[in-house]
Amino acid sequence: MFIKLAPSAAHAAQPELAGTTAVVFDVLRATSTIVTALARGYSKVYPAVDVDEALHIAGSRSHVLAGERGGLKITGFPRGNSPLEFVAGPEKDGAELVLTTSNGTGAVRASSTADRVLLGSVLNARAAARAAVAHGQDIYLVCAGSGGGYSLEDALGAGFVLAEMLKSANLAVEMDDRAAAALCLARCYSHDPLAGLMNSAHGKALVRLGREEDLRWCSQLNMFEIAPVYNGEYITA
Amino acid sequence: MFIKLAPSAAHAAQPELAGTTAVVFDVLRATSTIVTALARGYSKVYPAVDVDEALHIAGSRSHVLAGERGGLKITGFPRGNSPLEFVAGPEKDGAELVLTTSNGTGAVRASSTADRVLLGSVLNARAAARAAVAHGQDIYLVCAGSGGGYSLEDALGAGFVLAEMLKSANLAVEMDDRAAAALCLARCYSHDPLAGLMNSAHGKALVRLGREEDLRWCSQLNMFEIAPVYNGEYITA
């Protein structure tokens, strides 16, 4: 099994995604938010690439509309992109969520060339790892990154999933240089995932926006045992 | 002091280099070879971008001509790019070397927009760190990378230099996400730098070419106390 890491969705070559299991990471905060929402009772999450698409998907149905740009809730949207807004679960059991974020929801969409698309975060590292190796395919760890560039927190999330994969007995794994580096990140921050998130540029920006509690939430390793799957239209647990 | 890391010379934005001290890394093997040659008695190293330029520089003088492409010695060149070829020092005291390699010598040349250009490697991490912080400028760690992409061994070398910088008392440092990740690499491999080089794709390729001894040589942390400087024409200790 070969494991490869893309530092941003823009780096994930479409032909290389084919035939792989992709695991998409936007640790601060889209995939952490989606994992939280699905774990707490939302039935589906539609990842929209932009505001218009989000409005279109939500338009005809009673979906909950959520999203951010530049870390801030989109004007007119009832919810933002903080996982804390979804911790209590939906008002109506099984409600559906439409989410659009700066990097994460686009990264999920861009990964759909892969045979299977899973969502990873610190919150569900072990479950995502187990689901990723279950089919024996090569694995593409796709970090959403930020504006096409590297994000420490996404590489760290990918590293935690990779570290969980390597705990599987009898798994013969080879990996590229970026995946090997992500594994080091996980080892570096294994006793303090929050420090990794706090050291990232995006983490610092969220703290400046008053969202330190989001970082604390997103840093909880293996809090949920779900491995959300994107089917090309929506994400389910 | 802000510290930034470029994963390959292609990523090092020319405008961002201006006003900084750049430290260039091609751990396997160009900067390790240059550090070794200068520490062992060569007086100057001319970094040539291609074979023609190397021949041109060497043409009129009695320089030692060295280089590789694809990890192999260039046909007709007396020396390749193994540091072990330079360990014994030059035949003539103070001899000058002309070197062209696949990524490293081009990365040195591409960094010349910086105010100062230093050469870093595992071999001279402490000395490079001290020289880098001496002028108080922002620092740009420029990894040569491989074919425009990320190389684990270069990020590891940069991480070792960064770890040495942080030992300086009273140094207030901020860094970007890539530099923070490189620092984790250094911590991950601090007790076994050779393992880091062996885990890299280029390290594995060199082992397949029978160059494992080169990796052992290049993995010796702080073996030399020199911080080579590139003046736009040649490199001196």
Side-chain angles (χ1 to χ4, degrees):
Chain A
M1 180 181 287
F2 192 80
I3 302 176
K4 202 175 148 77
L5 184 144
S8 82
H11 283 80
Q14 296 302 319
E16 292 184 2
L17 278 164
T20 72
T21 292
V23 190
V24 182
F25 299 86
D26 186 359
V27 169
L28 293 175
R29 297 167 289 174
T31 58
S32 300
T33 295
I34 294 168
V35 165
T36 300
L38 292 172
R40 290 297 171 87
Y42 284 86
S43 62
K44 294 178 182 173
V45 180
Y46 290 82
V49 287
D50 55 34
V51 171
D52 282 349
E53 193 187 55
L55 290 168
H56 177 75
I57 295 171
S60 53
R61 309 172 218 182
S62 59
H63 296 338
V64 177
L65 189 58
E68 62 67 39
R69 285 299 181 274
L72 300 171
K73 189 166 78 70
I74 295 166
T75 309
F77 276 39
R79 304 281 179 98
N81 183 34
S82 166
L84 301 180
E85 296 177 82
F86 303 94
V87 167
E91 286 171 28
K92 284 186 192 168
D93 220 33
E96 296 175 25
L97 184 63
V98 181
L99 181 70
T100 180
T101 73
S102 303
N103 298 290
T105 51
V108 172
R109 294 279 291 267
S111 301
S112 58
T113 316
D115 275 16
R116 292 190 307 145
V117 181
L118 303 170
L119 270 68
S121 68
V122 179
L123 293 170
N124 73 329
R126 181 171 51 220
R130 286 180 182 164
V133 301
H135 290 231
Q137 290 179 304
D138 288 344
I139 290 170
Y140 210 144
L141 304 169
V142 180
C143 296
S146 185
Y150 178 87
S151 284
L152 183 64
E153 72 278 13
D154 292 338
L156 177 59
F160 280 130
V161 169
L162 187 46
E164 293 288 344
M165 286 177 191
L166 298 182
K167 290 180 185 170
S168 302
N170 303 318
L171 193 63
V173 162
E174 286 191 82
M175 64 186 85
D176 70 1
D177 279 15
R178 291 183 186 277
L183 189 58
C184 270
L185 279 182
R187 288 178 179 155
C188 203
Y189 289 114
S190 62
H191 298 294
D192 192 358
L194 179 59
L197 304 190
M198 298 286 275
N199 281 343
S200 71
H202 189 50
K204 289 172 192 166
L206 286 170
V207 169
R208 284 194 298 271
L209 291 173
R211 307 300 324 177
E212 186 170 333
E213 288 306 313
D214 286 6
L215 273 66
R216 290 187 190 282
W217 180 265
C218 295
S219 73
Q220 301 173 97
L221 188 59
N222 295 326
M223 189 184 194
F224 295 122
E225 289 295 338
I226 62 168
V229 181
Y230 176 56
N231 70 359
E233 188 187 0
Y234 53 79
I235 303 158
T236 51
Chain B
M1 180 180 291
F2 193 79
I3 303 176
K4 202 174 145 79
L5 185 144
S8 82
H11 283 80
Q14 297 301 320
E16 292 185 1
L17 279 163
T20 72
T21 293
V23 191
V24 182
F25 298 86
D26 186 359
V27 169
L28 293 176
R29 299 167 287 173
T31 58
S32 300
T33 295
I34 294 167
V35 165
T36 301
L38 292 171
R40 289 296 172 86
Y42 284 86
S43 62
K44 294 178 183 173
V45 180
Y46 291 82
V49 287
D50 56 32
V51 171
D52 282 351
E53 193 187 57
L55 290 168
H56 178 75
I57 296 171
S60 53
R61 311 170 216 181
S62 59
H63 295 337
V64 176
L65 190 58
E68 61 68 38
R69 285 299 180 275
L72 300 170
K73 189 165 80 68
I74 295 165
T75 310
F77 275 40
R79 304 281 179 98
N81 182 33
S82 166
L84 301 180
E85 297 178 80
F86 304 94
V87 167
E91 284 171 29
K92 285 184 189 169
D93 222 32
E96 295 174 28
L97 184 64
V98 181
L99 181 70
T100 179
T101 72
S102 303
N103 298 292
T105 53
V108 172
R109 293 279 291 266
S111 301
S112 59
T113 315
D115 276 15
R116 293 190 307 145
V117 181
L118 303 170
L119 271 67
S121 67
V122 180
L123 293 170
N124 73 329
R126 182 170 49 217
R130 286 179 183 165
V133 301
H135 290 231
Q137 291 179 301
D138 287 344
I139 291 171
Y140 210 144
L141 305 168
V142 180
C143 295
S146 185
Y150 178 87
S151 285
L152 182 66
E153 72 277 14
D154 293 338
L156 178 59
F160 281 130
V161 169
L162 186 47
E164 294 288 345
M165 286 176 191
L166 298 182
K167 290 180 186 170
S168 301
N170 303 321
L171 193 63
V173 162
E174 287 191 81
M175 63 186 86
D176 70 0
D177 280 14
R178 291 183 185 278
L183 190 58
C184 269
L185 280 183
R187 288 178 178 157
C188 203
Y189 290 113
S190 62
H191 298 294
D192 191 359
L194 179 59
L197 303 190
M198 298 287 273
N199 281 344
S200 72
H202 189 49
K204 289 172 191 165
L206 286 170
V207 169
R208 285 193 297 273
L209 292 171
R211 306 301 324 177
E212 186 170 334
E213 288 307 313
D214 285 7
L215 272 67
R216 289 186 190 282
W217 181 266
C218 296
S219 73
Q220 301 172 99
L221 188 59
N222 295 326
M223 190 186 193
F224 296 122
E225 289 296 338
I226 62 168
V229 181
Y230 175 56
N231 70 0
E233 188 186 1
Y234 53 79
I235 303 156
T236 51

